Amino acid sequence: MTIRIKQKMTLLLLAALTACGGGGGGGDGGGGGGGTTDQSVTATGLVTVAGIGTPVEGAIVDITLTTPKPSANSGSDGRYSLALLKNELPEFFAGTVNKANYLPGTVFFRYANGQLQPRDAGSNDVALVPIQPGQPGQPSKDVVFLQGTSIVHLGDGLFEGTANSQFQAPVSALIWKDSFIPDPAFTTLTVTLYAHGVETPTYCDEIVLGIDLDAAGVIIGGQRQPLLASPVDGSFNKISHTFTLPALTSGANAYLQIFSRAKCTNATAESDDFEVVSVVGELS
């Protein structure tokens, strides 16, 4: 589904690499989600407005693990708290934060030695960016769509139990895909995302921008780039890819796709398993 807003354009996908993300959280006690037990830990954090610092009330914080998905709303002070079962937690995992009229945000946690800790300083907190259309005659960036709001696990599920293969979500597909209608004023698309488990160049994972699809809905040709690799310890990293927008007929779709591929030395081998979150594309 495509949402068009007049001056600014930003492409969003939320997906998270393997399990066990950073971000702060409580220890074995605390409230939220009906309280905790010795089988659970509490994830806590703060949601504010980017650049202002005021608290955001009613933001939805989701951490995809198993059913039911742990979820909580931020309070009037911007704080959230939710209980997570220890036996469902990989070492690194991520959560998504959503609120109407804001770009989605992401929080990161690390679970180790029975304790939930920040992956790094402040990674359990998030500053949400308000969605504001640009002014007439001053095109800059705009929201194209906001449909990627949960962790995406790409691959075939045939991964080994290493630190780089601890996932928090079930495998979904070999390809993530979406489309948008760019404004003619824009010439460049910069895609940023957080990922875990990407093993390029061992595997030939790709991110592709194009305008032509085959009968299966896969991009034909297009601008293809190797998806940048993730840390070998299984944590998330932020990566960025920049594309030149192709010439399009007015109102035509452009397509962005992320591929889980086989090993570069063996096209018949199993596909790489990885997770992605907060894929954001900015048109300028």
Side-chain angles (χ1 to χ4, degrees), residues 18-195:
T18 306
C20 304
D28 290 348
T36 59
T37 68
D38 57 356
Q39 282 80 45
S40 65
V41 290
T42 302
T44 63
L46 177 65
V47 185
T48 58
V49 180
I52 300 176
T54 55
V56 176
E57 182 178 6
I60 301 172
V61 183
D62 288 317
I63 297 178
T64 299
L65 294 167
T66 58
T67 303
K69 176 169 61 177
S71 179
N73 290 346
S74 59
S76 58
D77 59 356
R79 297 193 176 277
Y80 67 88
S81 175
L82 67 165
L84 307 174
L85 293 177
K86 293 180 179 180
N87 63 5
E88 297 180 354
L89 300 179
E91 183 180 359
F92 297 98
F93 61 97
T96 58
V97 183
N98 290 278
K99 170 77 173 179
N101 300 317
Y102 291 88
L103 300 180
T106 315
V107 290
F108 300 97
F109 299 88
R110 182 179 186 184
Y111 177 68
N113 300 319
Q115 297 292 317
L116 193 60
Q117 308 169 7
R119 179 200 62 186
D120 45 50
S123 61
N124 57 321
D125 301 331
V126 62
L128 296 181
V129 178
I131 297 173
Q132 296 179 342
Q135 299 301 314
Q138 297 178 341
S140 53
K141 302 169 185 176
D142 225 351
V143 176
V144 179
F145 45 71
L146 301 172
Q147 69 177 25
T149 55
S150 55
I151 300 303
V152 174
H153 177 173
L154 298 178
D156 54 16
L158 301 176
F159 52 86
E160 299 175 357
T162 63
N164 208 30
S165 298
Q166 299 175 17
F167 300 100
Q168 68 183 87
V171 63
S172 59
L174 291 175
I175 307 173
W176 171 84
K177 50 180 123 177
D178 218 317
S179 65
F180 60 101
I181 303 175
D183 188 298
F186 301 115
T187 59
T188 301
L189 172 69
T190 298
V191 180
T192 59
L193 65 144
Y194 294 91

